Amino acid sequence: MKTATLVLALAALMAAAPATACTLCHSPGAAAVRHQLLHADLVRNAAAVAAPIPLLLAMILFAAGGPARRSARDA
């Protein structure tokens, strides 16, 4: 039973290791990007990101349902 617990504990510790190894997330460039996006005008940036979503959903619904197509027999 102790061996299983030890293996499980080691697996849990190793699973978290890749998250701390990310040098890109902890770089000065990433910090600057987060600062620019989240600091001054979060609402405006969030609106700019979310603005195209209704248009994209409308395009998907139009393509899925679309106008009724006439067959060759109806022409």
Side-chain angles (χ1 to χ4, degrees), residues 2-75:
K2 285 186 176 184
T3 306
T5 306
L6 179 64
V7 170
L8 186 60
L10 287 174
L13 288 174
M14 291 182 134
T20 59
C22 180
T23 58
L24 181 63
C25 296
H26 303 292
S27 68
V33 168
R34 278 193 304 274
H35 178 72
Q36 288 178 351
L37 286 176
L38 301 176
H39 181 65
D41 47 359
L42 175 63
V43 175
R44 190 176 115 207
N45 290 335
V49 168
I53 292 174
L55 177 63
L56 293 172
L57 289 175
M59 291 169 58
I60 291 170
L61 290 174
F62 179 75
R69 298 215 164 107
R70 295 173 42 180
S71 64
R73 292 183 296 182
D74 294 340

